Amino acid sequence: MQILLINPPNCGRSIPEERYGITSVRQIFRGEPLALEELAGNLPDHEVRILDLKAEPGGLSRALSEALPDLVGLTGVTCEANTVRRLAREVKAAGVKSVVVGGIHASNDPAFFNHEEVDYICIGLGKLSFRELVEALEQGRQPADLPGMAKTSPGNRLQWLNRDYREADLVSHHPPAYQLVAHYREHYRLERLKVSMGFVASAAGCPHRCSFCCIKGQSDGRYLTRPPDQVIRDIELLADIPVIRLIDANTFGNLEQARQLGEAIKAAGLNKQFLADVRSDTVVNHPELMRLWREAGLRAVIIGFEELDDQRLAAMNKANRADVNREAVGILQEMGITIVGDFIVAPSYEEEDFRRLSDYLAASRIDLPIITVLTPLPGTEYHRRQRQEIINHDLDYYTLTNAVTPTRLAEEEFYRLYAELVRTSHQQAKL
Ligand code: B12
Ligand code: SF4
């Protein structure tokens, strides 16, 4: 079967830019479409191409005219969801028989794609369900009972069988088809350090349940890990790439597995630098694990600090404390590990809250703060709680840099203070 997998272009709209001419909060991120490479790697008997519209924004008509695929698969996050539907319409209009949508938005809000331009919606990890679907379509069947794969039924309530996600659903014995994006490789760079960066997955999901986080939808709340030898195989496939981003939401969610993977990477002598997500309580409770990973090449970590006080952390169900966050920064700094710190400003922020965060960041040893706006992402607990408060339902704005619930300050004032915080924290960045 001829399959075209499409990564949507960089998209998303900005309220501060459109209403107040503030352009400084707009962010452009780059990286390879690992989800599509993973799906393609599991379809070795088919002719699969990957079109990365982030790297090649005008590439759709070229890709469709080169050879009309039998099936198109699209991925996307929430701010890309409208674009994914638009792309699906274009693809259908070109005569493609089957269109399948998956990814983090489809997994958390599948009903959004229950429209005629989409045939199937993949809910969760989906590597196995996608292969099963491709095989069925090839045999001329249109299954409506594949676990983890909803058949659309526009106008009706979307129904599907849940997939009970297990390690087997990671299908790690096939590596991602990195070769399919070789011609885009120059786009996948860590701009700040001017180096090429590759993505590798070692785990899926997260054992925690922060109320604002959409990761639960990836594997129906399970935390699943891949065998170390298969992670190392993937790292080795990215032979010429010096920096590897482990894209797991939480690389250290299973301590024993993380220890084994760290040991294995160290023993393999891969000579790579790694960037991975870790919680601050893991750092504080298991500094020996961080030390091991430092020796294995861990160059930088991304930590969700989110807020400055315990009350607000508790309201997010972060299951962590502000003093633990502070202690983790000290431990990592002593080990020479660079810290990228995520912080979330709430639409309820007042001038004093912005000032407090600004003072904290100026005094802290966090190398690169990333500051987003608290957003009720569909599928999250926070969305369920805030549903009635949402004033902006256009998913183009769900970039995590817009307030989609009312700001307590006058809106323009909120964005001016937010933009100022982003600007000064970038100026002070040590990375
Ligand atoms: C790498 C990454 C990126 C890369 C994406 C590379 C690309 N696709 O071009 C870059 C750096 C470009 C990026 C950008 C952004 N990102 Co980002 N990113 C991630 C990260 C760290 C990993 C994603 C990943 O590769 N996962 C690995 C793959 C294998 O898993 P997966 O995507 O879930 O895919 C599996 C299944 O979903 C399924 N599947 C996926 N697609 C499809 C398609 C089909 C057809 C099928 C059948 C199945 C299927 O199969 C896959 C294999 O099992 C996640 C956090 C995380 N740890 O997951 C955030 C994350 C996805 N990003 C997020 C966000 C918000 C953004 C940005 C808006 C920027 C920002 N402020 O953070 C931009 C959006 C781009 C834009 N402006 O248009 C949020 C999304 C929240 C949401 N619901 O929207 C996440 C969850 C992080 C977070 N803060 O919570 N991101
Ligand atoms: S620890 Fe991180 S990945 Fe896990 S639920 Fe919380 S925010 Fe999401």
Side-chain angles (χ1 to χ4, degrees), residues 205-216 248-250 277-279 281 304 306 316-318 344:
C206 177
H208 291 270
R209 290 288 176 271
C210 305
S211 60
F212 58 86
C213 178
C214 63
I215 288 299
K216 183 171 171 273
D248 330 319
N250 183 350
D277 282 53
V278 66
R279 278 175 57 100
D281 48 0
E306 329 299 10
M316 293 173 156
N317 200 28
K318 189 72 201 178
I344 304 178

Side-chain angles (χ1 to χ4, degrees), residues 38 48 50 58 77 92 105 113-114 123 139 142 149 155 190 260 272 278-279 281 325 340 354 372 374 400-401 404:
E38 289 274 359
V48 188
I50 292 181
V77 301
K92 273 279 173 190
H105 189 74
F113 294 109
N114 190 19
I123 297 128
Q139 293 160 8
Q142 299 239 324
M149 190 67 82
L190 192 54
Q260 283 178 20
K272 302 272 190 199
V278 66
R279 278 175 57 100
D281 48 0
N325 283 344
V340 179
F354 279 106
T372 55
L374 184 59
L400 314 190
T401 51
V404 300

Side-chain angles (χ1 to χ4, degrees), residues 171-297:
V171 207
S172 311
H173 52 280
H174 288 302
Y178 288 120
Q179 72 281 6
L180 296 184
V181 298
H183 54 299
Y184 295 129
R185 191 49 76 183
E186 72 194 50
H187 292 271
Y188 307 145
R189 291 170 66 76
L190 192 54
E191 280 308 325
R192 274 181 176 267
L193 299 181
K194 305 261 175 286
V195 288
S196 177
M197 177 167 66
F199 288 173
V200 170
S202 83
C206 177
H208 291 270
R209 290 288 176 271
C210 305
S211 60
F212 58 86
C213 178
C214 63
I215 288 299
K216 183 171 171 273
Q218 192 183 43
S219 47
D220 200 19
R222 294 245 163 77
Y223 182 67
L224 305 170
T225 57
R226 298 174 58 204
D229 57 329
Q230 291 168 355
V231 179
I232 288 178
R233 174 205 61 203
D234 294 358
I235 297 168
E236 284 175 335
L237 283 172
L238 296 168
D240 302 328
I241 296 168
V243 179
I244 302 293
R245 160 88 157 102
L246 293 169
I247 52 70
D248 330 319
N250 183 350
T251 298
F252 304 86
N254 174 331
L255 295 171
E256 180 48 25
Q257 157 77 15
R259 190 191 59 74
Q260 283 178 20
L261 182 57
E263 295 280 12
I265 292 176
K266 196 174 147 190
L270 297 173
N271 195 25
K272 302 272 190 199
Q273 295 194 332
F274 294 94
L275 173 62
D277 282 53
V278 66
R279 278 175 57 100
S280 68
D281 48 0
T282 308
V283 174
V284 169
N285 296 331
H286 303 280
E288 76 296 342
L289 188 58
M290 291 297 109
R291 213 165 291 121
L292 164 66
W293 269 79
R294 178 77 184 104
E295 288 161 15

